[in-house]
């Protein structure tokens, strides 16, 4: 069944179908406004599938002669959508009258009427209607107004493309028209027609004015770029003739022309000068364009260029230009620019890149913006990667990064410590410099988590005389020891040692001290505040009648953490002090010095224990922290060989193994990305070196072919071979009615990202003709039916295909249901259809994120769905693989962490939808080790930002589990 061509789609709510007689009366006797409203109603009814053949003559007699411009525009839509042929395919007699009316409109003195009529004629598919109008259309080419002339060119172009026998001299006519035109829109339309109808004439025109191309308008320049691209790909020998023109268009005043020219240049030539010119043009576009979407699109083009090995080498010299993009305020643009620069940087320009990043860090210090924290974190990670990739710059990066430890942004400070931990392990020569800066920054740290990690690094890597320096720094940030006595003195109002030191440092001489005392006394005795009452009189209030306001006590940072009940930092401190004391014992031969330091360290630990049990902190110390501190005390007092080796050697070895595992994982991911794909597909044409002109391999990819391939493949994960496979199509066929029903129906469901196309086959299994056979559909969930399918007439044992389009707006399980209604000679019948379930897996793709990002999203997402594991699998790893396959999720837990058999498995999984929604899952399963036949048990927790995503993913997991149980 051929689809009726229609260019106009008008959205309309459900309308009441009026009587045809009423519509005729309104069109005959109503005034102009009434006719306009009635005509709108008729158009909407026609688009909804209604048929009114009797209205055509009424509209010709009473509406077509009206000269109102609104009616004229509405009539153009009406004649576009109304059926113009009878049942046997012949043109309706009434259309001759319509044709005559439009011939008059083409000769109308108003240029708007002429132009809009010409645009309407582009949509007609009936040569019988167009043939009488050709002289009038040709005459419009000489009209004084450019609006009429450019639409006349479009009309001739469309007619020549569909029915070339109506204008056999079309290309020659338009070529002569092009030579005489000055208006850019007319020249653009004429050149576009020559581009598609007669490329030789288009090339001759371009060759005649190739030196003036830079002065043309942007719309004409875009068509010229398209012509050069097509000609050079069809005939590479023409490149030398036109590539200079593309170079000149890189300097066009239009950003669109520059973008297209740069893309065309790198597909025509892989010469270093061409690549550099195109990349520089892209960078200039990003810097100068204000729209963030444009910046991201052009950045994606640069990243795609970088994937080509030949282009990457040339682009390495443009790293500093890429860093100019960091001036953009958008965090996504900055993230992509930094990632691109990091991939392109090499040993010659790493120093310059680090200087730029240092300046960017300095710019973010006093800037309050919602994305400033994320940007600082991004800069830290980039500097971290620079230092690991190029160890020579690590010494200059470390002082800059250590300043972040006192930052209020805990994530940026945590990234700095991760970098410091890796750098101090991999570059032992820098350990002294790192420790020195870390000790300087230690008192300014504001977060318990950061202090904890910094203490671990200091305890693991400090050696020699710096041991005492670190212990002094720790004691300074802890305050007075023992802490319980200090808190009691503070509570009773007695000055502590810290306050005495502060007062001693503040009073430089006796005079200033006495002056301060006198002033304070005077203020206390005569501090009377005058206040105005409601009636205007003064009231005096003495300082003695005011209630004392308690001031918040300011304690040293580590003491404050302990008073807030965070004794995990106390356990970490104890482990660090134990390592420092054991290392000092190895270095210091004198037993008195050894004992002095050991007792000092043990006093600090016992003081933390005492404070935890005293009741001063907001929360008491936990049993875990108490046990860890007791282990440290016992290790220092007994110094057994096994315990000492754990503190002195095994901790650092564990870190080394973890860093090695991370490096191996990164290398594995990198190899997977670089894994060579098939350079030549089986259906690609074979190139013979003896027959080629030697220039074919110098051309880049064909953009038209690659875009066509992507359109055919639909989603990014689909392959062309899968799309064309008949088995793949059969898997997506859903039976809608039974074989014994009068009408058999089945649907092929084709999901293409945001669109679902239902191709429904309807078969008449009866001996009767079915009139008005209509497919009525409805949706449940975030699905929306675009248009209602038109009714059809089915002969006995005939069949037809009806297509229906559905739009998808979010990742939820959607349902499409409905029925088939048809009329027979006796009555109207309805057949209810089977429901079509839209699978959520068509929208979900695997993705990856860091552990920090996963934890942050897990904390932020409020919707959780807990699914109990009910399966016939007996192996933990097999169940995990089954789960990943059925949910399209990616396992974030490293493979090494999951290896082995211990009877328990915990793994994190992550995926994203094509709509940008995130889905997190945590798998926690177990089985008895001693019983190999026992089934896997446990649960899966799913978290998402939207309720629909969490529920849909849980339903998918439950259904996959049921299928596996039934199969077993």
């Amino acid at each position: 069944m051929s689809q009726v061509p229609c260019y106009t789609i008008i959205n309309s709510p459900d309308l009441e179908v009026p009587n045809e007689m009423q519509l005729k009366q309104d069109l005959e006797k109503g005034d102009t406004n009434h006719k306009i409203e009635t005509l709108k109603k008729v158009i909407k009814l026609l688009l909804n599938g209604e048929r009114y053949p009797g209205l055509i003559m009424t509209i010709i007699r009473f509406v077509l002669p009206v000269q109102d411009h609104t009616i004229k525009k509405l009539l153009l839509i009406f004649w576009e959508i109304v059926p113009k042929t009878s049942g046997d395919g012949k043109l309706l007699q009434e259309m001759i009258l319509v044709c005559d009316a439009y011939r008059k409109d083409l000769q109308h003195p108003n240029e708007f009427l002429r132009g809009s009529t010409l645009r309407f004629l582009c949509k007609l598919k009936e040569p019988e209607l167009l043939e009488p109008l050709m002289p009038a259309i040709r005459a419009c080419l000489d009209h004084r107004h450019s609006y009429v002339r450019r639409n006349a060119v479009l009309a001739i172009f469309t007619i020549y493309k569909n029915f070339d026998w109506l204008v056999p001299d079309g290309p020659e006519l338009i070529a002569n028209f092009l030579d005489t035109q000055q208006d850019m829109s007319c020249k653009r339309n004429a050149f576009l027609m020559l581009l598609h109808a007669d490329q030789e004439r288009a090339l001759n025109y371009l060759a005649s004015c190739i030196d003036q191309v830079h002065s043309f308008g942007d719309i004409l320049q875009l068509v010229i770029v398209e012509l050069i691209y097509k000609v050079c790909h069809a005939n590479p020998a023409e490149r030398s003739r036109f590539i200079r023109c593309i170079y000149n268009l890189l300097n066009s005043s239009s950003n669109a022309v520059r973008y297209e020219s740069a893309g065309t240049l790198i597909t025509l030539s892989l010469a270093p000068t061409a690549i550099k010119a195109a990349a520089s043009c892209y960078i200039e576009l990003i810097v100068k364009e204000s729209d963030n979407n444009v910046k991201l699109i052009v950045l994606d083009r640069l990243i795609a260029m970088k994937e080509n090995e030949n282009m990457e080498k040339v682009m390495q010299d443009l790293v500093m230009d890429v860093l100019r993009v960091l001036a953009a305020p958008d965090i996504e643009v900055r993230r992509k620019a930094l990632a691109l620069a990091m991939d392109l940087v090499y040993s010659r320009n790493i120093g310059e890149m680090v200087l730029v990043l240092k300046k960017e860090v300095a710019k973010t210090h006093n800037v309050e913006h919602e994305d400033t924290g994320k940007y600082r974190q991004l800069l830290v990670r980039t500097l971290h990667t620079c230092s690991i990739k190029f160890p020579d710059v690590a010494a200059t990066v470390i002082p800059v990064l250590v300043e972040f430890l006192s930052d209020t942004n805990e994530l940026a400070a945590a990234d700095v410590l991760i970098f410091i931990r890796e750098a101090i392990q991999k570059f032992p020569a820098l350990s002294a410099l790192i420790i020195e800066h870390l000790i300087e920054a230690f008192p300014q740290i504001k977060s318990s988590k950061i202090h904890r990690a910094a203490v671990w690094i200091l305890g693991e890597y400090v050696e020699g005389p710096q041991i005492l320096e670190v212990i002094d720094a720790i004691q300074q940030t802890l305050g007075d020891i023992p802490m319980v006595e200090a808190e009691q003195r503070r509570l009773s109002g007695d000055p502590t040692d810290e306050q005495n030191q502060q007062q001693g440092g503040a009073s430089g001489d006796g005079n200033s001290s006495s002056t301060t005392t006198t002033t304070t006394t005077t203020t206390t005795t005569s501090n009377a505040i005058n206040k105005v009452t409601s009636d205007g009189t003064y009231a005096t209030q003495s300082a003695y009648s005011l209630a004392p306001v308690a001031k918040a006590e300011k304690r040293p940072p580590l003491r404050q953490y302990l008073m807030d009940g965070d004794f995990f930092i106390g356990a970490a401190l104890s482990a660090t002090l134990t390592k420092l004391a054991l290392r000092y014992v190895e270095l210091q031969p004198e037993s008195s010095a050894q004992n002095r330091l050991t007792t000092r360290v043990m006093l600090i630990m016992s003081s933390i224990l005492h404070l935890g049990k005293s009741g001063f902190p907001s929360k008491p110390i936990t049993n875990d922290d108490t046990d860890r501190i007791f282990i440290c005390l016992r290790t220092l007092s007994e110094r057994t060989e096994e315990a000492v080796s754990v503190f002195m050697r095994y901790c650092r070895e564990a870190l080394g193994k973890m860093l090695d595992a991370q490096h191996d994982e990164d290398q594995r991911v990198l190899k997977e990305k670089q894994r060579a794909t098939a350079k030549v597909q089986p259906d690609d044409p074979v190139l013979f070196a003896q027959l080629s002109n030697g220039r074919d391999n110098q051309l880049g990819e064909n953009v038209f072919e690659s875009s066509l391939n992507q359109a055919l493949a639909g989603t990014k994960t689909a392959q062309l071979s899968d799309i064309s496979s008949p088995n793949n199509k059969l898997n997506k066929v859903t039976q809608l009615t039974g074989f014994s029903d009068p009408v058999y129906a089945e649907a092929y469901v084709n999901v293409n990202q945001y669109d679902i196309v239902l191709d429904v086959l309807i078969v008449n299994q009866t001996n009767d003709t079915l009139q008005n056979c209509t497919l009525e559909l409805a949706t449940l969930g975030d699905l929306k039916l675009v248009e209602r399918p038109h009714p059809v007439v089915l002969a006995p044992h005939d069949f037809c295909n009806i297509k229906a389009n559905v739009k998808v707006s979010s990742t939820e399980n959607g349902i499409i249901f409905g029925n088939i209604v048809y009329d027979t000679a006796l009555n109207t019948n309805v057949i209810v259809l089977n429901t079509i379930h839209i699978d959520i897996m068509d929208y979900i793709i695997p993705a990856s994120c860091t552990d920090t990002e996963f934890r942050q999203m897990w904390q932020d997402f409020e919707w959780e769905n807990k699914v109990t594991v009910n399966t016939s699998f007996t192996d933990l790893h097999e169940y995990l693989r089954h789960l990943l396959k059925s949910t399209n999720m990616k396992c974030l837990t490293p493979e090494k962490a999951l290896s082995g058999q211990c009877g328990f498995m915990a793994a994190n999984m992550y995926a994203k939808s094509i709509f940008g929604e995130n889905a997190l899952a945590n798998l926690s399963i177990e089985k008895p080790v001693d019983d190999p036949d026992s089934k896997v048990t446990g649960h899966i927790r799913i978290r998402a930002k939207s309720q629909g995503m969490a529920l849909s993913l849980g339903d998918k997991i439950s259904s996959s589990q049921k299928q596996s149980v039934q199969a077993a």
Side-chain angles (χ1 to χ4, degrees):
M1 174 189 173
S2 62
Q3 295 282 331
V4 178
C6 175
Y7 297 85
T8 306
I9 296 176
I10 301 174
N11 182 32
S12 59
D14 295 335
L15 296 171
E16 292 184 10
V17 181
N19 189 354
E20 187 173 349
M21 291 301 297
Q22 182 64 43
L23 291 174
K24 283 185 178 181
Q25 288 181 5
D26 292 342
L27 291 172
E28 288 177 16
K29 300 178 180 178
D31 57 5
T32 302
N33 291 332
H34 208 93
K35 287 181 179 180
I36 289 172
E37 292 301 319
T38 308
L39 198 54
K40 286 181 180 179
K41 192 181 295 183
V42 170
I43 290 171
K44 291 177 181 178
L45 289 168
L46 286 173
L47 286 172
N48 280 338
E50 301 295 334
R51 291 289 179 266
Y52 295 106
L55 284 180
I56 294 180
M57 204 61 213
T58 304
I59 289 176
I60 291 173
R61 289 176 58 197
F62 298 102
V63 183
L64 198 59
V66 179
Q67 295 300 314
D68 183 76
H69 283 194
T70 306
I71 287 183
K72 291 282 186 186
K73 285 197 291 186
L74 289 172
L75 281 173
L76 293 178
I77 300 174
F78 174 79
W79 295 121
E80 178 191 339
I81 63 175
V82 74
K84 304 173 190 64
T85 55
S86 58
D88 55 0
K90 293 183 179 180
L91 192 71
L92 294 174
Q93 295 295 325
E94 296 91 334
M95 298 309 295
I96 297 174
L97 300 172
V98 178
C99 182
D100 185 62
Y102 280 115
R103 187 178 55 78
K104 293 177 182 176
D105 281 348
L106 287 174
Q107 297 168 348
H108 200 280
N110 185 295
E111 62 270 6
F112 171 74
L113 276 180
R114 279 201 188 197
S116 56
T117 306
L118 286 165
R119 289 183 70 86
F120 159 72
L121 295 179
C122 295
K123 304 172 184 177
L124 288 183
K125 297 293 182 184
E126 289 79 21
E128 300 92 337
L129 287 176
L130 293 169
E131 191 172 6
L133 301 176
M134 289 311 303
I137 296 173
R138 284 171 175 265
C140 288
L141 286 175
D142 300 324
H143 193 270
R144 60 181 176 78
H145 203 284
S146 62
Y147 178 70
V148 178
R149 296 199 303 272
R150 69 169 178 256
N151 282 308
V153 173
L154 279 181
I156 290 176
F157 175 30
T158 311
I159 294 168
Y160 181 80
K161 188 168 61 174
N162 296 325
F163 317 105
D164 55 351
W165 50 273
L166 288 176
V167 266
D169 60 337
E172 182 183 354
L173 179 69
I174 296 301
N176 296 333
F177 170 82
L178 185 60
D179 291 333
T180 60
Q181 280 303 306
Q182 297 300 322
D183 182 74
M184 279 302 158
S185 60
C186 296
K187 292 175 80 170
R188 180 257 179 194
N189 289 356
F191 193 80
L192 185 66
M193 174 177 171
L194 292 181
L195 165 64
H196 292 282
D198 192 343
Q199 280 194 6
E200 192 61 36
R201 291 181 188 272
L203 285 175
N204 292 336
Y205 174 78
L206 179 58
S208 66
C209 60
I210 198 163
D211 294 330
Q212 290 88 36
V213 166
H214 64 277
S215 63
F216 290 169
D218 55 347
I219 55 176
L220 181 55
Q221 287 177 342
L222 284 171
V223 184
I224 289 173
V225 171
E226 184 182 349
L227 171 68
I228 294 174
Y229 178 85
K230 286 186 173 179
V231 169
C232 292
H233 263 281
N235 185 10
E238 296 283 350
R239 282 191 310 152
S240 58
R241 186 178 171 193
F242 296 111
I243 203 163
R244 177 55 52 190
C245 179
I246 293 292
Y247 271 106
N248 293 335
L249 288 176
L250 289 177
N251 301 317
S252 170
S253 58
S254 167
N255 287 344
V257 175
R258 296 177 69 193
Y259 175 78
E260 292 296 336
S261 302
T264 300
L265 184 59
I266 57 176
T267 60
L268 297 184
S269 173
L270 295 179
T273 52
I275 296 169
K276 193 167 185 178
S280 301
C281 179
Y282 279 145
I283 293 169
E284 285 295 323
L285 285 175
I286 299 169
V287 172
K288 292 182 179 178
E289 184 61 48
S290 58
D291 191 346
N292 284 331
N293 293 320
V294 175
K295 290 178 186 285
L296 290 170
I297 290 169
V298 182
L299 265 173
D300 286 337
R301 290 293 301 161
L302 278 173
I303 293 168
M305 285 177 65
K306 185 259 306 174
E307 298 297 329
N308 188 311
E309 295 176 2
N310 299 324
M311 296 186 187
E312 186 177 9
K313 294 175 183 176
V314 180
M315 292 175 66
Q316 285 178 344
D317 295 329
L318 298 174
V319 170
M320 301 310 296
D321 293 327
V322 171
L323 290 176
R324 290 166 55 200
V325 180
L326 295 179
D330 186 67
I331 188 68
E332 280 301 319
V333 175
R334 287 170 162 175
R335 180 179 285 114
K336 284 195 173 185
L338 283 174
L340 177 62
M342 200 63 241
D343 289 338
L344 294 175
V345 73
Y346 65 117
S347 55
R348 285 187 187 175
N349 51 21
I350 182 64
E352 297 176 12
M353 179 175 172
V354 168
L355 286 176
V356 172
L357 294 178
K358 283 182 180 179
K359 289 179 182 177
E360 289 295 318
V361 168
K363 287 180 188 175
T364 61
H365 275 305
N366 299 317
V367 178
E368 290 297 329
H369 191 267
E370 58 179 354
D371 287 332
T372 302
K374 294 179 182 178
Y375 184 43
R376 286 166 74 85
Q377 191 179 357
L378 203 57
L379 289 171
V380 168
R381 290 181 180 175
T382 308
L383 286 169
H384 174 187
T385 312
C386 287
S387 303
I388 300 302
K389 198 173 179 181
F390 304 96
D392 296 339
V393 300
T396 59
V397 168
I398 287 166
V400 180
L401 290 184
V402 169
E403 294 178 8
F404 277 90
L405 292 178
S406 58
D407 199 274
T408 52
N409 183 3
E410 189 177 288
L411 294 175
D415 284 338
V416 171
L417 281 173
I418 291 171
F419 159 67
I420 288 175
R421 185 183 66 185
E422 187 171 355
I424 205 171
Q425 174 76 8
K426 290 188 174 180
F427 314 129
L430 297 175
S431 61
L433 175 69
I434 294 173
I435 293 297
E436 180 185 345
H437 284 286
L438 196 54
I439 292 173
E440 287 178 9
F442 191 77
Q444 279 79 41
I445 298 175
K446 300 180 176 65
S447 166
S448 166
K449 183 180 177 182
I450 307 305
H451 253 129
R452 206 163 61 226
V455 159
W456 188 92
I457 293 173
L458 288 173
E460 195 62 49
Y461 292 98
V462 169
E463 294 178 354
Q466 287 182 317
I467 292 176
L468 293 174
E469 194 178 343
V470 171
I471 293 177
D472 289 339
I474 289 174
Q475 189 160 353
Q476 182 185 350
T477 51
L478 267 176
D480 294 346
I481 303 293
M483 287 181 276
V484 174
E485 284 77 356
E487 289 299 323
Q488 286 175 341
R489 286 199 300 274
R490 189 188 294 271
L491 196 62
S492 62
D494 297 338
T496 60
D497 293 344
E498 302 159 17
Q499 292 167 344
N500 288 334
Q501 288 172 8
Q502 290 171 2
Q503 288 178 3
S507 58
D509 57 281
N511 293 332
S512 62
S513 179
S514 60
T515 307
T516 306
T517 309
T518 310
T519 307
T520 305
T521 309
T522 309
T523 307
T524 306
T525 53
S526 62
N527 187 11
I529 303 170
N530 290 329
K531 288 190 174 183
V532 182
T533 60
S534 58
D535 59 353
T537 58
Y538 287 98
T540 303
Q541 185 177 20
S542 172
Y544 293 109
S545 62
L546 292 173
V549 179
K551 293 183 179 178
E553 295 287 352
K554 188 174 181 181
R555 299 182 177 89
L558 291 180
R559 172 85 64 84
Q560 188 61 51
Y561 303 148
L562 297 174
M563 292 300 292
D564 292 339
D566 183 8
F567 281 93
F568 188 30
I569 183 78
L573 267 177
S574 302
T576 295
L577 291 171
T578 305
K579 292 176 186 176
L580 294 174
L582 292 173
R583 198 167 291 124
Y584 186 78
V585 167
E586 285 184 353
L587 297 173
Q588 180 59 254
E590 294 182 13
S591 58
S592 58
Q594 294 177 6
N595 293 335
R596 191 181 308 116
L597 184 74
T598 304
T599 52
R600 180 182 172 188
V601 165
M602 294 176 77
L603 175 63
I604 295 174
M605 292 189 226
S606 58
S607 177
I608 293 172
L609 275 174
H610 191 194
L611 181 67
K613 304 286 186 182
S614 65
F616 283 112
S618 57
K619 297 176 186 175
I621 188 170
T622 63
N623 293 335
D624 288 343
D625 296 331
T626 304
D627 291 343
R628 290 189 68 189
I629 296 174
F630 271 128
I631 289 171
C632 295
L633 287 169
R634 187 170 179 181
T635 302
L636 284 177
S637 61
E638 297 179 359
R639 296 182 198 169
T640 59
E641 186 177 347
E642 293 84 354
V644 170
S645 60
V646 168
F647 280 96
M648 299 293 289
R649 196 173 76 244
Y650 292 158
C651 290
R652 195 177 302 191
E653 286 179 2
L655 173 64
K657 289 178 181 176
M658 187 190 78
L659 293 177
D660 290 342
Q662 282 183 355
H663 179 71
D664 293 343
E665 181 68 18
D666 293 340
Q667 291 298 316
R668 186 184 65 80
V669 172
L670 195 62
K671 283 181 181 177
E672 284 183 0
K673 285 183 180 178
Q674 295 176 345
R675 187 174 293 166
T677 55
K679 296 291 184 184
V680 181
Q681 298 296 334
D683 55 348
D684 284 351
V686 179
L687 296 177
F688 295 94
Q690 290 83 358
L691 302 178
S692 67
N693 56 13
R695 295 186 177 184
D696 294 341
N697 57 354
Q698 296 178 16
L699 293 178
E701 66 167 345
N702 191 325
V703 175
F704 292 117
E705 285 186 11
S706 58
S707 59
L708 176 63
N709 290 345
Q710 189 173 355
L712 287 173
T715 57
K716 294 180 180 178
T717 55
Q719 300 295 326
L720 280 176
S721 57
D722 296 337
I723 295 298
S724 58
S725 168
N727 292 332
N728 187 59
K729 290 189 174 183
L730 290 174
N731 290 336
K732 294 186 177 181
V733 171
T734 304
Q735 186 176 339
L736 301 180
T737 62
F739 291 115
S740 59
D741 286 320
V743 176
Y744 173 74
E746 64 181 24
Y748 166 60
V749 184
N750 182 22
V751 178
N752 189 353
Q753 290 197 347
Y754 306 102
D755 300 315
I756 299 173
V757 179
L758 297 179
D759 190 353
V760 184
L761 171 68
I762 297 179
V763 181
N764 179 9
Q765 301 192 112
T766 66
N767 296 321
D768 302 324
T769 300
L770 305 184
Q771 301 285 341
N772 293 328
C773 185
T774 308
L775 176 67
E776 296 182 347
L777 297 174
T779 58
L780 189 65
D782 281 342
L783 303 176
K784 186 177 181 182
L785 196 66
V786 176
E787 57 183 332
R788 198 171 77 178
H790 293 293
V792 294
V793 177
L794 285 178
H797 301 287
D798 193 9
F799 66 91
C800 69
N801 285 75
I802 298 177
K803 290 187 177 180
N805 294 310
V806 178
K807 284 283 182 185
V808 189
S809 57
S810 74
T811 315
E812 287 189 24
N813 282 332
I815 297 175
I816 302 174
F817 57 95
N819 50 49
I820 292 177
V821 182
Y822 62 91
D823 296 334
T824 60
L826 300 176
N827 55 4
T828 300
N829 300 284
V830 178
I831 299 175
V832 179
L833 302 179
N834 189 17
T835 56
I836 302 173
H837 293 267
I838 304 302
D839 194 358
I840 185 179
M841 292 301 105
D842 290 321
Y843 317 121
I844 289 183
I845 52 176
S848 59
C849 65
T850 63
D851 290 342
T852 308
E853 291 168 344
F854 185 90
R855 283 194 291 270
Q856 187 64 39
M857 286 190 287
W858 189 268
Q859 184 179 343
D860 294 343
F861 292 169
E862 55 185 4
W863 291 104
E864 179 173 319
N865 187 9
K866 189 173 181 180
V867 180
T868 304
V869 173
N870 177 22
T871 181
S872 58
F873 283 97
T874 57
D875 184 80
L876 300 177
H877 294 86
E878 282 186 15
Y879 181 77
L880 175 62
R881 284 192 290 270
H882 166 74
L883 189 65
L884 294 175
K885 184 179 179 182
S886 60
T887 58
N888 276 2
M889 301 188 87
K890 181 177 180 180
C891 183
L892 300 180
T893 308
E895 201 168 324
K896 288 188 176 180
L898 298 172
S899 59
Q901 294 287 348
C902 64
F904 175 78
M905 178 185 287
N908 291 333
M909 296 174 291
Y910 177 58
K912 288 188 80 169
S913 72
I914 61 174
F915 307 101
E917 299 168 301
N918 298 300
L920 312 176
N922 173 257
L923 173 69
S924 181
I925 52 178
E926 62 179 349
K927 66 162 286 185
V929 183
D930 53 355
D931 187 4
D933 297 329
S934 61
K935 295 178 182 178
V936 173
T937 58
H939 59 266
I940 305 155
R941 293 168 66 195
I942 303 162
R943 284 204 180 181
K945 201 167 188 178
S946 63
Q947 183 185 18
M949 182 80 162
L951 292 176
S952 302
L953 206 53
D955 293 342
K956 180 64 183 176
I957 293 173
S958 300
S959 63
S960 68
Q961 288 188 147
K962 287 178 183 175
Q963 290 173 4
S964 65
V965 170
Q966 290 171 359

